[in-house]
Amino acid sequence: MKTNTLLISFLLFMNISSASACINTYVFDLGSEGLSKQQALDKIKERSKKFKTHEELNDYGVLLIYAHQYDKAIQTFKSIENSHPNLAKTAANLGTAYELKGDSVKAKYWIQQGMKRDPNIHQGSEWIHVKILDAQLNQQKDKTWIQKNDVLGLDFGKDVAPKAKVKTIKFENHSYNLEKILVHSEIQMDQRLRFVNQDPIAAQIVFNMGNIEAYLMQNDLQTITSLFDVADMSGYADPDFLRKRVNYLNTSKWYAFKHKIIYSFKRLFGMI
């Protein structure tokens, strides 16, 4: 899908630390904003077809992903897997290429392989990627799944004021609190929103990023409501409810008072 540059610019404003959440290079620098399809095509033309190392071949495969040549990218990463097996970056890149091609089953397999090979790949955020792929598979079976379920298992209620009914998510042998979920969501969404436009799964995760921020009150109000704007633009499944929550955050004097006190306290004591 066409990249939404407005969403990318916003997430960069959020000071997300990983510019390549699901795509891995060795030497080639993608820059803070990644590459457009045309930029990738131009760089592919510049590069020699002969690659001396698997690292160079990997980076060529990444260019193919940005050029939307997913079949060629998959062939490239499979070649690396055959010649240099068990590399975490290869598995993660294969998973991403398969996902962008539309094969969620193979994508999930390879993303899980990447996690097994390196549990800390993408700063340990790949569990969210697996959850996203599970959601995609559920959506294929039931187009209304996203309207009835939360991708990560979070629940901030149906009142206009977000209330965290779930404060910890368990995945395999790990537990993630709201702060960690927010950080990992930022890492994953930074890359994902470069490749998708209208995606209710990604939109729901961004919506919950806004909910977490609103609940924890560790960011300024403009940034919090901007997250909800991004979720809305990305195709959140219940836009009417989203706007009601945003309206509450923007107009509630009680919330504004609490936010000012808590946010100022956290900044004063270096908690954010």
Side-chain angles (χ1 to χ4, degrees):
M1 297 181 184
K2 184 178 180 181
T3 302
N4 189 320
T5 55
L6 179 59
L7 302 188
I8 294 172
S9 297
F10 174 73
L11 286 179
L12 291 173
F13 171 75
M14 286 285 292
N15 295 318
I16 294 171
S17 59
S18 174
S20 301
C22 302
I23 297 178
N24 303 264
T25 61
Y26 284 95
V27 179
F28 184 70
D29 185 5
L30 296 172
S32 61
E33 297 185 10
L35 299 174
S36 68
K37 180 179 180 180
Q38 188 56 53
Q39 288 174 324
L41 288 169
D42 291 342
K43 290 187 177 296
I44 287 171
K45 291 179 181 178
E46 295 172 4
R47 297 172 74 90
S48 169
K49 292 183 179 180
K50 295 181 179 179
F51 302 97
K52 296 180 180 180
T53 66
H54 72 275
E55 290 92 348
E56 292 176 347
L57 186 59
N58 176 88
D59 292 1
Y60 171 71
V62 168
L63 288 177
L64 290 172
I65 288 179
Y66 273 96
H68 297 193
Q69 297 181 13
Y70 305 128
D71 285 328
K72 288 185 178 180
I74 290 168
Q75 292 174 5
T76 299
F77 296 126
K78 280 188 173 180
S79 174
I80 298 172
E81 180 68 14
N82 290 332
S83 61
H84 295 78
N86 298 319
L87 297 175
K89 288 186 177 183
T90 306
N93 286 340
L94 259 173
T96 299
Y98 271 119
E99 181 183 2
L100 291 168
K101 184 185 176 183
D103 191 334
S104 300
V105 173
K106 290 183 179 179
K108 180 180 177 180
Y109 170 80
W110 284 108
I111 293 300
Q112 289 178 315
Q113 285 296 307
M115 294 172 68
K116 290 178 181 179
R117 296 173 184 184
D118 180 6
N120 294 318
I121 192 168
H122 303 145
Q123 301 177 49
S125 70
E126 282 288 73
W127 68 276
I128 290 182
H129 198 165
V130 174
K131 289 277 192 179
I132 290 170
L133 292 166
D134 282 336
Q136 290 177 359
L137 291 169
N138 285 322
Q139 277 286 99
Q140 291 170 15
K141 299 174 184 177
D142 176 7
K143 293 182 179 180
T144 65
W145 184 89
I146 194 66
Q147 300 171 17
K148 300 175 289 186
N149 297 274
D150 188 272
V151 175
L152 303 183
L154 294 169
D155 184 357
F156 287 89
K158 287 300 180 180
D159 294 331
V160 289
K163 299 177 181 178
K165 297 183 178 182
V166 176
K167 296 182 180 180
T168 303
I169 297 295
K170 293 184 178 181
F171 181 85
E172 295 182 350
N173 297 322
H174 299 278
S175 294
Y176 303 95
N177 61 20
L178 293 177
E179 289 89 346
K180 184 62 71 174
I181 292 169
L182 179 62
V183 171
H184 285 178
S185 295
E186 289 172 352
I187 294 169
Q188 289 291 315
M189 290 302 101
D190 174 48
Q191 188 67 55
R192 181 164 298 275
L193 293 181
R194 301 176 191 273
F195 289 95
V196 301
N197 190 358
Q198 291 290 301
D199 178 9
I201 293 173
Q204 188 191 80
I205 292 176
V206 178
F207 175 70
N208 277 331
M209 288 169 62
N211 286 324
I212 294 173
E213 288 280 21
Y215 178 77
L216 296 178
M217 301 182 190
Q218 59 185 23
N219 217 325
D220 61 90
L221 189 56
Q222 181 180 357
T223 298
I224 293 170
T225 55
S226 293
L227 277 167
F228 290 113
D229 290 340
V230 174
D232 192 15
M233 293 165 58
S234 300
Y236 182 67
D238 191 351
D240 290 338
F241 173 69
L242 181 151
R243 291 171 192 134
K244 288 179 182 178
R245 181 158 284 176
V246 171
N247 183 64
Y248 166 78
L249 296 177
N250 284 328
T251 60
S252 170
K253 293 181 179 179
W254 172 237
Y255 180 81
F257 173 75
K258 288 194 299 181
H259 179 274
K260 182 178 180 180
I261 297 299
I262 294 174
Y263 179 54
S264 298
F265 177 86
K266 288 184 175 181
R267 290 196 66 182
L268 180 63
F269 290 95
M271 298 171 66
I272 52 176

